[in-house]
Amino acid sequence: MTARSSLTVVLAAGEGTRMRSSLPKVLHPVAGQSLLAHVLDAAPNGAGASLAVVIGPDHKAVADEVVRIRPDAATFIQRERLGTAHAVLAARDALARGADDLIVAFGDTPLISAETFARMRAPLEKGAALAVLGFRAADPTGYGRLLIEGEQLVAIREHADASAEERKVTLCNAGVMAFDGKKALSILERIGNANSKGEYYLVDAVTLVRDMGLEAVVIETSEDEVRGINTKAQLAEAEAVMQARLRKAALDAGVTLIAPETVHLAADTTFGNDVTIEPFVVIGPGVTIADGAVIHSFSHIVQASIGKKASVGPYARLRPGTSLGDGARIGNFVETKAAHLEAGVKVNHLSYIGDAHVGANSNIGAGTITCNYDGFFKHKTTIGEGAFVGTNSSLVAPVKIGKGAYIGSGSVITKDVPDDALAVERSPQNNRDGGAARYREMKLRAKAKKEG
């Protein structure tokens, strides 16, 4: 199969009016990734594989998504919506190059797999001119029926045109097709529009293939895999199926999900070994979780990297750009954003750390805030290795807290603090001399502990 070239044409020009949204249908997300992205990820890739996506006019956002996911793909515009076959022919220039296999897929079927695309190509290698993807519908009402004689597909009968006997057939048309690429253009160009809507339908390819004395076959898959998305209800159903898949994959990979049905994962979530996820955790796109990490209940994580044996939550929020070093601890009601916390850092309670770099083994006390926004610009806070920031402190960025520095509780720090220095600013509840004494005592204790 790898020696055969392929062209996958993904139809993504629909407006999706039933979604009742200004967002193009194929850009709605499932598991943190657009419907279209799921399909493009599943499409054949690598040497000999080419990709074309047919979009509607004025759908720049869809074109941008294509470039983001598959920069190798070409985009074509279907300016008039005259049926599925007409949409495929919008990519005529790509079809004319004559790949060995042509796959026609849809941008609103996010659950389709790369394995299914490969199975559809297999009969083409053995001489079939057309392979149609089918599924056994629990309720076939409204679906086109796949009519088979022996091992050959002889027709696709739309529900409205089917006889009473044909309506008993539960094998239904999923719409996805694979053509012999050398014959595809001649087949598609023969499809007419002699129907009530005056449109050009891909289903007519079956009759044409038979009339040409060529072979058409059916490849079966599950009903879940070919769910098309036309409404928000169907979007939610697809999300549920995808989440079940992702949870199973995580469990099979050795992740401990204490209450799997309560955990929400993204399609690109990656786990190390011996990771534990407690109930009611939401993991969005772009998250990696290393060996031995624990994510406690009710935490929300997006675009973040979590180091080995780190602990997050409960009730923590890790926003984009967060990076936790090995053994770091993020506790309850802590929020981070664009923050790099090195190994062993502790931020255990009720704090906000944004646009910051926190050195290894530093301790950030409860209620600490990095004041990173001045109303116009974001500024960075840098905290050195082994620093101690007391509770209820405000670090007004841009500011640097030196290595081993000690910030007294309730301080508002507006100037850089040198290494190993004591800072107690604007803190009526602290006496500078008392704070200094405490600082000296802490340093002596730490030295004694280190020396054994």
Side-chain angles (χ1 to χ4, degrees):
M1 183 66 69
T2 54
R4 292 174 64 85
S5 62
S6 69
L7 168 65
T8 304
V9 177
V10 179
L11 306 185
E15 292 292 341
T17 54
R18 285 192 283 166
M19 299 294 283
R20 298 185 181 278
S21 172
S22 60
L23 186 69
K25 178 172 70 169
V26 296
L27 298 187
H28 282 78
V30 163
Q33 186 167 286
S34 71
L35 306 181
L36 180 59
H38 285 288
V39 179
L40 298 184
D41 282 342
N45 201 348
S50 56
L51 179 63
V53 182
V54 178
I55 67 176
D58 304 319
H59 277 191
K60 183 180 182 300
V62 178
D64 290 345
E65 179 74 344
V66 173
V67 171
R68 187 181 72 85
I69 301 298
R70 287 286 296 267
D72 59 309
T75 56
F76 298 88
I77 297 176
Q78 184 189 18
R79 299 196 178 278
E80 296 181 274
R81 291 177 175 81
L82 299 177
T84 47
H86 178 264
V88 176
L89 286 172
R92 184 187 298 271
D93 289 349
L95 299 174
R97 298 188 189 107
D100 293 321
D101 303 332
L102 167 66
I103 300 171
V104 178
F106 296 85
D108 63 352
T109 55
L111 300 172
I112 198 161
S113 67
E115 292 75 17
T116 293
F117 284 142
R119 288 198 300 122
M120 293 191 69
R121 295 177 65 188
L124 307 180
E125 190 173 17
K126 297 177 182 178
L130 176 63
V132 175
L133 190 61
F135 65 99
R136 301 282 174 177
D139 179 6
T141 304
Y143 290 112
R145 307 305 204 278
L146 300 182
L147 306 181
I148 297 176
E149 292 180 1
E151 296 184 354
Q152 300 297 307
L153 175 65
V154 296
I156 300 177
R157 190 82 72 235
E158 294 303 325
H159 181 86
D161 301 325
S163 66
E165 195 64 26
E166 289 170 340
R167 290 185 180 185
K168 294 178 182 178
V169 174
T170 59
L171 183 59
C172 297
N173 177 33
V176 181
M177 296 185 178
F179 292 82
D180 179 334
K182 307 300 182 184
K183 301 180 176 71
L185 193 53
S186 63
I187 294 169
L188 292 166
E189 287 176 335
R190 294 186 187 191
I191 293 176
N193 65 341
N195 53 66
S196 60
K197 291 187 177 181
E199 296 186 352
Y200 301 84
Y201 297 129
L202 270 179
V203 294
D204 293 342
V206 176
T207 301
L208 288 170
V209 165
R210 298 283 295 177
D211 291 345
M212 295 166 69
L214 302 173
E215 181 183 7
V217 299
V218 174
I219 299 297
E220 284 195 47
T221 190
S222 68
E223 185 171 5
D224 276 343
E225 187 170 356
V226 292
R227 286 175 180 268
I229 310 301
N230 292 301
T231 66
K232 291 291 179 64
Q234 291 172 341
L235 185 70
E237 291 169 0
E239 182 74 56
V241 174
M242 182 66 78
Q243 288 300 320
R245 284 186 184 180
L246 295 172
R247 292 168 190 144
K248 182 179 185 303
L251 291 166
D252 290 345
V255 178
T256 299
L257 302 179
I258 294 175
E261 68 282 0
T262 70
V263 174
H264 184 97
L265 302 174
D268 62 352
T269 306
T270 60
F271 299 101
N273 296 322
D274 298 313
V275 170
T276 298
I277 310 293
E278 291 186 354
F280 300 104
V281 168
V282 175
I283 298 177
V287 175
T288 62
I289 304 175
D291 298 353
V294 178
I295 312 301
H296 296 283
S297 294
F298 298 101
S299 295
H300 191 290
I301 306 170
V302 178
Q303 294 178 22
S305 173
I306 298 170
K308 295 179 179 179
K309 296 186 178 180
S311 176
V312 176
Y315 295 97
R317 185 182 182 199
L318 273 53
R319 291 169 57 194
T322 294
S323 174
L324 304 185
D326 295 348
R329 297 179 63 85
I330 299 294
N332 46 286
F333 304 105
V334 170
E335 180 179 355
T336 63
K337 189 272 293 183
H340 177 63
L341 283 62
E342 293 186 3
V345 170
K346 297 178 182 178
V347 190
N348 279 327
H349 331 276
L350 301 157
S351 295
Y352 170 70
I353 307 298
D355 295 289
H357 185 284
V358 183
N361 300 310
S362 295
N363 185 90
I364 310 299
T368 295
I369 297 173
T370 57
C371 306
N372 56 326
Y373 183 53
D374 63 8
F376 299 95
F377 303 103
K378 297 291 181 69
H379 301 283
K380 187 171 182 178
T381 298
T382 301
I383 301 173
E385 178 182 351
F388 183 95
V389 179
T391 60
N392 200 34
S393 293
S394 297
L395 311 179
V396 183
V399 70
K400 294 182 179 179
I401 309 300
K403 177 181 176 181
Y406 186 97
I407 308 301
S409 297
S411 295
V412 178
I413 304 298
T414 60
K415 298 178 182 179
D416 292 353
V417 178
D419 292 352
D420 296 312
L422 166 70
V424 183
E425 293 187 13
R426 302 180 190 171
S427 180
Q429 68 268 42
N430 279 288
N431 174 273
R432 182 176 293 276
D433 293 335
R438 181 182 175 193
Y439 174 68
R440 287 193 295 271
E441 181 183 356
M442 179 195 73
K443 295 290 284 188
L444 289 170
R445 286 181 180 180
K447 182 178 179 182
K449 183 176 181 182
K450 184 176 181 180
E451 293 176 350

